[in-house]
C-alpha cells in the first residue's frame, strides 16, 4: 500500500497504544491487519523515543507482511528515523511546512481538525507536492482516548463532506483529498457517521477492546461496504 492508496482505497484506520498491559502488540496488529485495517498508527504518549522506535520496528515488519501502511503520531523525529510512510499531526503540533522539511519524500502527512475553519484550512493546504495528504474530523463523539476534547457531532462530518465536494468541483482534475471521521466510532453508530457523509473512519476502542480484532475489523469494513 502506497501514498496513492491512501487517496484511493484506505478506509479503515486504527490508532492503538503499545498494549503494554496486554503484552500482545505484535499479535494484535497482525490480527487487525488480517481483518482488513488499512493503516495502523502507534499513539502512545507514555513511550520514550527509543522505546517507540523499537515498537515501530515491530509495526513496520507486520505492516510490510500484510502490504499495509503504518503511522507515527506527533513526533517528526521518530517518524523520520523510523522511515514511517504516514505521519499524523494535531493542530498544536509541528506545522505542515516544518514536517515536510524533516520527513523523507514521499511521506503521507495527515492533520486533525475540529472546526469548520480548520477543515477549510486543511483543504487549502492540500494542493501541490508539499501539501497535506489527508485530514481527520472529530471527535464525533466524546471519547476517553481524547480527554477534555469536546465532541464535534455529526454536523461537522457533513460540513467536511460538503466542503471537500465543493473543492473537488472547483479544482482542475479534482482535489483528491481523503478525510476520515474519528472519535467514539464503533458498530453501534458507524451507520450514522456514514449517513452524515463520511466514507472513511478512524477507530480505537472498536478494535483495541474487541475480543477478536480480526472479526471487529471485518465487521466495520462490512458496514463501510454496505454504505
Amino acid at each position: 500500500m502506497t501514498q496513492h492508496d491512501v487517496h484511493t482505497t484506505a478506509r479503515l484506520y486504527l490508532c492503538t497504544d503499545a498494549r503494554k498491559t496486554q503484552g500482545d502488540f505484535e499479535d494484535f496488529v497482525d490480527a487487525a491487519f488480517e481483518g482488513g485495517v488499512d493503516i495502523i498508527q502507534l499513539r502512545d504518549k507514555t513511550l520514550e523515543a527509543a522505546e517507540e522506535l523499537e515498537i515501530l520496528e515491530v509495526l513496520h515488519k507486520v505492516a510490510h507482511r500484510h502490504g499495509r501502511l503504518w503511522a507515527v503520531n506527533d513526533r517528526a523525529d521518530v517518524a523520520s528515523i523510523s522511515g514511517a510512510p504516514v505521519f499524523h499531526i494535531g493542530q498544536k503540533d509541528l506545522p505542515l511546512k516544518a514536517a515536510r522539511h524533516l520527513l523523507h519524500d514521499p511521506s503521507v502527512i495527515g492533520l486533525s481538525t475540529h472546526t469548520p475553519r480548520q477543515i477549510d484550512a486543511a483543504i487549502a493546504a492540500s494542493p501541490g507536492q508539499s501539501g497535506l495528504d489527508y485530514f481527520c474530523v472529530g471527535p464525533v463523539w466524546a471519547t476517553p482516548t481524547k480527554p477534555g476534547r469536546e465532541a464535534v457531532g455529526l454536523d461537522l462530518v457533513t460540513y467536511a463532506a460538503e466542503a471537500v465536494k465543493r473543492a473537488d468541483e472547483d479544482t482542475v482534475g479534482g482535489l483528491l483529498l481523503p478525510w476520515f471521521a474519528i472519535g467514539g466510532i464503533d458498530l453501534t453508530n458507524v451507520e450514522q457517521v456514514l449517513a452524515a457523509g463520511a466514507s472513511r473512519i478512524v477507530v480505537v476502542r472498536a478494535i483495541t477492546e474487541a475480543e477478536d480484532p480480526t472479526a471487529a475489523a471485518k465487521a466495520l469494513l462490512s458496514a463501510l461496504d454496505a454504505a
Side-chain angles (χ1 to χ4, degrees), residues 22-192:
Q22 300 91 334
D24 64 350
F25 183 79
E26 183 169 356
D27 289 340
F28 170 76
V29 294
D30 183 68
F33 280 132
E34 184 66 28
V37 170
D38 297 298
I39 308 170
I40 295 181
Q41 178 191 128
L42 176 62
R43 186 174 70 194
D44 193 326
K45 302 294 186 180
T46 69
L47 299 176
E48 298 292 342
E51 187 178 16
E52 184 171 359
L53 287 168
E54 289 180 2
I55 297 170
L56 287 170
E57 286 184 8
V58 175
L59 180 56
H60 181 185
K61 178 183 68 176
V62 178
H64 179 73
R65 187 164 68 240
H66 286 273
R68 302 289 177 169
L69 291 169
W70 54 283
V72 168
N73 178 65
D74 187 25
R75 295 197 57 169
D77 56 341
V78 171
S80 179
I81 293 168
S82 66
V86 182
F87 178 56
H88 190 85
I89 51 178
Q91 288 291 322
K92 296 181 180 181
D93 294 332
L94 195 67
L96 175 61
K97 185 176 180 179
R100 281 283 177 218
H101 178 72
L102 290 173
L103 297 181
H104 62 285
D105 186 51
S107 294
V108 172
I109 298 181
L111 174 69
S112 296
T113 65
H114 317 292
T115 66
R117 183 175 181 179
Q118 290 172 0
I119 289 171
D120 292 343
I123 293 171
S126 66
Q129 194 172 18
S130 62
L132 194 68
D133 296 297
Y134 73 88
F135 66 94
C136 293
V137 177
V140 181
W141 288 283
T143 169
T145 62
K146 286 291 183 180
R149 174 75 67 183
E150 292 186 6
V152 300
L154 293 168
D155 286 345
L156 194 64
V157 175
T158 299
Y159 180 90
E162 294 174 348
V164 169
K165 182 179 179 180
R166 287 194 302 270
D168 184 67
E169 292 171 347
D170 293 341
T171 303
V172 176
L175 180 66
L176 200 65
L177 179 64
W179 60 280
F180 298 77
I182 184 174
I185 300 172
D186 57 28
L187 277 179
T188 68
N189 56 35
V190 64
E191 291 183 1
Q192 298 176 54

Side-chain angles (χ1 to χ4, degrees), residues 196-221:
S199 60
R200 308 164 190 255
I201 58 173
V202 181
V203 298
V204 184
R205 292 175 298 150
I207 295 179
T208 62
E209 296 183 1
E211 290 186 11
D212 186 337
T214 299
K218 287 182 177 179
L220 288 165
L221 280 175

